[in-house]
Amino acid sequence: MSTPPKSARNFPSIAAYTGGGHRSIAADLDGTLLISRSSFPYFMLVAVEAGSLLRGLFLLLSLPIVIIAYLFVSEEIGIQILIFISFSGLKIRDIELVSQSVLPRFYANDVRRESWEVFSKCERKVVVTANPTLMVEPFVRDFLGGTKVLGTEIEVNPKTKKATGFVKKPGVLVGDRKRLALLKEFGDESPGIGIGDRESDHDFMSICKEGYMVLPSKSATPVLPNRLKSPIIFHDGRFVQPPTPLTALIIYLWLPFGFALSIFRVYFNLPLPERIVRYTYPMLGINLVIRGNPPPPPSPGSPGNLYVCNHRTALDPIVIAIALRRKVSCVTYSVSRLSRFLSPIPAVALSRDRAADAARISSILQKGDLVVCPEGTTCREPYLLRFSALFAELSDRIVPVAVNVKQPMFHGTSARGVKFWDPYFYFMNPRPTYEITFLDRLPEEMTVKAGGKSAIEVANHVQKVLAGVLGFECTELTRKDKYMLLGGNDGKVESMYNNAKK
């Protein structure tokens, strides 16, 4: 470990790495493992998702001060200002949940291919970063397969369990502090490879057996997310695009207009018949794409059709009713009484008691058509969660419906947020798109009562059919898996309410 510092000389580009069979690597994050050299979007996500839109606006307005401090005072001061504005007064648990449920998707879409190819081949992977450990550790551990994160440690008030906005000693991990942290981590063993992207990384790279620079390049390409250690299936947060300074500015300028437009889109269409709404949607900038041939309404005295769809947003049953040009009923779990009251179609709450729910669904089907989402919760990515088999036991008149959405600015779903606002965020998008594809009704031989199939067989068949039409992948993941990962609860209304009070 007595190798003289190499910070005075140039390190070769990572493109020159030939693969020396090293077991360990120490890598910077921003600009090295990630294409972007700026950590601002991730601090903005923490400020908004763990804090509020107002905190995010204050961070955006403070950016000129941060840049001046970073460039003309010190890198440490600039990062300290970002941390203070983003973290001060926030519950550590809220920051942890955002780091676990929101940030990984944005990080995963920005992993640099050249760096990943070197990083992924090593057994011991250590990330050395000026960013707070709390922010980056879940992503590095779960999606990069990192062994350890050496980052800036956040100071926490032991009584309130809230971040003070300051950092623990030795301070923001930059320059020589990265080198000292690495020496403490590796002891007498030198890291095999060190990779960084700026001069302040030379200190820790100098104690590695080999050092390589990751040079800024407009042609740098990201790794496909499915090439990482784990795929991104669940994620939370309202922003669709990374909130870079320009994107964040556009979002904040759009917010007042978008909110007014959303309110108008919702309440203008609310009292109108579904056959009319089908035409008012395009007039209001909502792109509604309908494919397939939906069956006619049931004749008097005969049971209704059971429309089985994948679940993208809470609006799915409503948009299916619009596509059918008539009212249909739907069943829900974690939706408030106010949301059910405002729903333009009949919405019946289920109790999670299998016998009671089966009786309730059967009663609705005797009166008319019904829409069910057997996944039990929404999924944003191109995956289908496991389908509950209950629907297959209750009807042989099953019509699969494939649903997809396009949201350019805001996500219309949330695991941690207030679900009442989900539809409003969807309609705040300038040009949202809803795609509804009606498939043929299941043949009798693929049903439970007439075909003798088991309910699980029917549910799995419908899941595969919908996945094939949408180009999605089937999984065995459930509603509980999603909420335990994203919100730290089981997804029930009472659990989310109790969790929010903590």
Side-chain angles (χ1 to χ4, degrees), residues 307-370:
Y307 294 96
V308 179
C309 68
N310 60 301
H311 204 5
R312 301 303 271 180
T313 81
L315 295 168
D316 294 342
I318 297 172
V319 180
I320 288 174
I322 294 169
L324 289 169
R325 305 186 188 191
R326 62 180 185 272
K327 289 195 182 299
V328 294
S329 299
C330 70
V331 290
T332 66
Y333 280 112
S334 299
V335 177
S336 67
R337 291 181 180 179
L338 178 60
S339 295
R340 294 200 299 270
F341 174 75
L342 292 175
S343 174
I345 63 174
V348 179
L350 297 181
S351 63
R352 288 192 175 83
D353 180 296
R354 190 175 182 86
D357 290 344
R360 192 170 286 115
I361 291 173
S362 296
S363 174
I364 296 171
L365 283 170
Q366 292 304 314
K367 301 174 184 176
D369 292 339
L370 174 66

Side-chain angles (χ1 to χ4, degrees), residues 49-264:
E49 300 295 346
S52 64
L53 285 168
L54 188 60
R55 183 187 289 261
L57 177 60
F58 184 63
L59 179 63
L60 180 63
L61 295 175
S62 304
L63 185 58
I65 299 173
V66 173
I67 293 173
I68 291 171
Y70 189 95
L71 294 178
F72 300 106
V73 182
S74 73
E75 184 179 351
E76 178 183 2
I77 296 298
I79 295 172
Q80 175 64 80
I81 296 172
L82 282 175
I83 292 173
F84 184 83
I85 296 173
S86 304
F87 283 59
S88 178
L90 295 181
K91 293 180 180 179
I92 287 299
R93 180 55 179 161
D94 289 339
I95 300 172
E96 288 174 344
L97 286 173
V98 170
S99 301
Q100 181 176 305
S101 63
V102 179
L103 301 187
R105 179 179 74 94
F106 295 96
Y107 280 133
N109 290 333
D110 197 42
V111 176
R112 185 163 173 162
R113 183 177 57 81
E114 302 96 320
S115 304
W116 170 247
E117 289 176 354
V118 177
F119 188 81
S120 62
K121 291 175 183 175
C122 297
E123 294 180 21
R124 187 178 183 184
K125 310 177 186 73
V126 177
V127 172
V128 192
T129 176
N131 290 318
T133 305
L134 191 65
M135 271 177 62
V136 304
E137 191 170 43
F139 170 70
V140 171
R141 180 188 64 237
D142 298 336
F143 298 94
L144 298 185
T147 311
K148 181 80 172 181
V149 173
L150 303 176
T152 301
E153 298 299 330
I154 300 300
E155 187 181 85
V156 181
N157 185 315
K159 293 182 179 179
T160 63
K161 304 297 182 185
K162 292 182 179 180
T164 64
F166 299 103
V167 300
K168 294 180 180 178
K169 292 183 178 180
V172 177
L173 210 66
V174 293
D176 194 54
R177 290 172 186 165
K178 287 186 177 181
R179 182 183 68 85
L180 294 175
L182 209 56
L183 285 171
K184 184 178 179 181
E185 173 67 21
F186 279 83
D188 294 331
E189 178 189 356
S190 296
I193 310 170
I195 58 174
D197 70 298
R198 61 199 77 193
E199 189 175 343
S200 60
D201 293 332
H202 288 185
D203 290 302
F204 85 81
M205 292 167 62
S206 68
I207 63 172
C208 301
K209 294 175 182 176
E210 294 183 18
Y212 296 92
M213 290 297 291
V214 181
L215 304 176
S217 173
K218 293 182 179 179
S219 61
T221 55
V223 176
L224 293 176
N226 60 10
R227 294 282 306 277
L228 301 179
K229 179 187 174 185
S230 303
I232 299 284
I233 298 178
F234 299 129
H235 57 86
D236 203 13
R238 292 297 188 185
F239 292 156
V240 173
Q241 303 295 332
T244 60
L246 178 59
T247 301
L249 178 62
I250 293 171
I251 288 173
Y252 276 100
L253 291 175
W254 171 254
L255 270 175
F257 302 103
F259 182 72
L261 177 61
S262 175
I263 295 295
F264 183 73

Side-chain angles (χ1 to χ4, degrees), residues 437-475:
T437 304
F438 292 97
L439 308 183
D440 294 335
R441 199 168 83 183
L442 288 191
E444 288 189 352
E445 59 268 22
M446 285 305 302
T447 62
V448 172
K449 297 176 182 177
K453 298 288 185 181
S454 71
I456 294 176
E457 284 180 305
V458 175
N460 290 343
H461 173 72
V462 174
Q463 184 196 38
K464 288 180 180 178
V465 168
L466 291 177
V469 171
L470 293 165
F472 289 3
E473 184 177 330
C474 296
T475 76

Side-chain angles (χ1 to χ4, degrees), residues 261-286 288 315 318 322 327 342-345 427:
L261 177 61
S262 175
I263 295 295
F264 183 73
R265 283 169 167 172
V266 170
Y267 291 100
F268 177 80
N269 288 308
L270 194 60
L272 299 179
E274 285 72 17
R275 65 180 184 277
I276 302 298
V277 176
R278 183 168 178 170
Y279 300 102
T280 60
Y281 263 26
M283 294 168 55
L284 297 176
I286 304 165
L288 181 59
L315 295 168
I318 297 172
I322 294 169
K327 289 195 182 299
L342 292 175
S343 174
I345 63 174
F427 286 120

